[in-house]
Amino acid sequence: MALISAKQILKEAQKKCYGVGAYNVNNMEQIQAIMAAAKETQSPVIIQASRGALKYSNFTYLGYLMKAAVIENLDIPVAMHLDHGNSLESVIRAIDLGFSSVMIDGSLMEDGKTASTYDYNVNVTCSVVEYAHARGVSVEAEIGTLGGLEDDIGSGKIHLTDPNEAKKFVDETGVDSLAIAIGTSHGAYKFKGVVNLAFDVLKKVRELIDIPIVLHGASSVPKKLICEVNKYGGKISGAAGVPMTSLQEAIKLGVSKINVDTDGRLAITAAIRKAFMVTPEKFDPRDYLGYARTALTNLIISKMKDFGTAGHSNDYSQDS
Ligand code: G3H
Ligand code: 13P
Ligand code: ZN
């Protein structure tokens, strides 16, 4: 039961109206922290690796570390998910590593920068759906473009999702979940002024499609973490994220998967900076990486509670 597809996890979340965090991982400590949080709160969990993370680890290392998370936590439903796959080849590589779920981000061309056409997105997504579904692997796709990772596109403006196009896209591709753009962006600098999310777009998409909806760029960039990083020598200014209240509103309106990477990076950086400053005489990586792991565990525990994931690890039957 431990390794299941994101489709299974998200269908339950959609039915019962709670959110499931999909947490990005690059190394052992991050994976252990997320799994410890899932265990502590009895939550299903999606651990996801970006193309960059897989490349950094030479693919196999991260793949096996993620598998270890599954084997070590057989009572916790876990999906191993590819984040922002950019081609059928990247998807095949992840499935070969044992991933139970993949994202194909055809909103961009393979370079990850240039905006694609609707037809390109449909074509690449269909090829992935055919390949993945034949192997029991679920597929997330994206329509519309976020800022951050995707903001140097065309005019540089974010393209919010067109709800009618989203409906057509889901009908034409048969994807299992859909990432939409409602004004979030990747990274720590999401808003210059007030937080402004297009909840009207989300509502309309929810009315038109019945598969789980995904929100990328959903880190909250807590002020407390930014202050902690800066207190111990960091230099981050002008950072802003999506407040938890907005994420909870998005969950109420139909978002089931919430992607979080930046907040984890901040928690780890704050803990390591602090350890270096407070105990400069120490040099065993297990000291500062251990603090980082604990800090990340605590952060994810509070997200699992706030997203409503806590207590839902037993929501699944073998055939759900
Ligand atoms: O969506 C982007 C994720 O935060 C992954 O970032 O490509 O730097 O690993 P990355
Ligand atoms: P954040 O940068 O807001 O954490 O978003 C991560 C993400 O969307 C990964 O796909
Ligand atoms: Zn993303």
Side-chain angles (χ1 to χ4, degrees):
M1 163 46 100
L3 180 67
I4 62 176
S5 71
K7 177 182 175 174
Q8 285 170 287
I9 290 180
L10 297 175
K11 274 284 168 204
E12 281 305 311
Q14 185 182 0
K15 227 190 287 169
K16 300 192 175 128
C17 208
Y18 57 86
V20 180
Y23 304 100
N24 284 75
V25 296
N26 304 286
N27 64 22
M28 182 185 76
E29 284 78 7
Q30 283 175 303
I31 296 171
Q32 289 176 325
I34 294 160
M35 295 312 299
K39 195 126 187 144
E40 168 77 20
T41 59
Q42 288 297 297
S43 299
V45 68
I46 299 170
I47 47 176
Q48 60 186 11
S50 68
R51 299 193 315 277
L54 286 167
K55 193 167 167 215
Y56 175 76
S57 80
N58 206 13
F59 294 86
T60 323
Y61 285 89
L62 192 52
Y64 274 92
L65 284 170
M66 290 166 84
K67 277 186 188 163
V70 175
I71 293 163
E72 289 279 316
N73 298 278
L74 289 173
D75 54 331
I76 298 295
V78 188
M80 285 170 61
H81 179 74
L82 170 68
D83 191 28
H84 293 283
N86 64 339
S87 62
L88 180 59
E89 289 66 38
S90 62
V91 162
I92 292 174
R93 197 150 196 187
I95 293 175
D96 285 348
L97 281 173
F99 282 47
S100 59
S101 177
V102 292
M103 175 192 189
I104 175 67
D105 183 357
S107 69
L108 301 174
M109 300 300 288
E110 263 189 51
D111 65 6
K113 288 195 164 92
T114 319
S116 69
T117 61
Y118 174 83
D119 287 344
Y120 172 88
N121 197 351
V122 168
N123 285 338
V124 71
T125 303
C126 282
S127 67
V128 165
V129 167
E130 189 185 354
Y131 186 88
H133 282 182
R135 289 157 182 81
V137 170
S138 61
V139 180
E140 171 188 330
E142 177 168 326
I143 191 103
T145 53
L146 279 69
L149 193 73
E150 303 161 20
D151 64 4
D152 50 351
I153 295 163
S155 65
K157 284 190 103 181
I158 295 170
H159 302 282
L160 297 184
T161 300
D162 170 344
N164 293 314
E165 196 172 73
K167 157 87 177 127
K168 190 165 174 268
F169 182 83
V170 169
D171 289 345
E172 287 176 3
T173 58
V175 287
D176 303 298
S177 60
L178 186 69
I180 62 169
I182 58 167
T184 61
S185 59
H186 292 104
Y189 306 93
K190 301 186 192 298
F191 304 102
K192 289 216 169 66
V194 285
V195 175
N196 188 11
L197 295 182
F199 285 128
D200 53 329
V201 171
L202 170 56
K203 275 187 204 157
K204 189 78 194 151
V205 173
R206 180 70 296 162
E207 276 166 31
L208 295 175
I209 70 170
D210 62 1
I211 58 171
I213 295 172
V214 180
L215 191 61
H216 283 246
S219 276
S220 295
V221 190
K223 291 260 172 316
K224 214 175 127 203
L225 281 181
I226 298 292
C227 287
E228 192 79 350
V229 169
N230 288 342
K231 181 175 168 191
Y232 294 106
K235 261 194 189 150
I236 300 178
S237 71
V242 187
M244 184 52 74
T245 48
S246 302
L247 295 174
Q248 288 169 332
E249 178 67 13
I251 292 166
K252 250 191 238 157
L253 294 174
V255 166
S256 303
K257 176 173 180 270
I258 300 145
N259 279 23
V260 177
D261 188 355
T262 298
D263 284 356
R265 294 177 179 190
L266 289 170
I268 288 169
T269 301
I272 291 177
R273 280 194 174 280
K274 183 175 178 185
F276 283 166
M277 284 277 213
V278 174
T279 51
E281 73 287 0
K282 290 197 173 175
F283 54 87
D284 184 336
R286 290 171 296 186
D287 284 316
Y288 53 86
L289 293 177
Y291 287 129
R293 185 170 58 188
T294 303
L296 185 57
T297 301
N298 291 333
L299 175 88
I300 307 288
I301 285 175
S302 82
K303 287 196 188 285
M304 286 171 165
K305 290 179 178 167
D306 289 342
F307 294 159
T309 338
H312 285 286
S313 62
N314 286 320
D315 282 4
Y316 315 86
S317 61
Q318 284 296 349
D319 51 9
S320 65

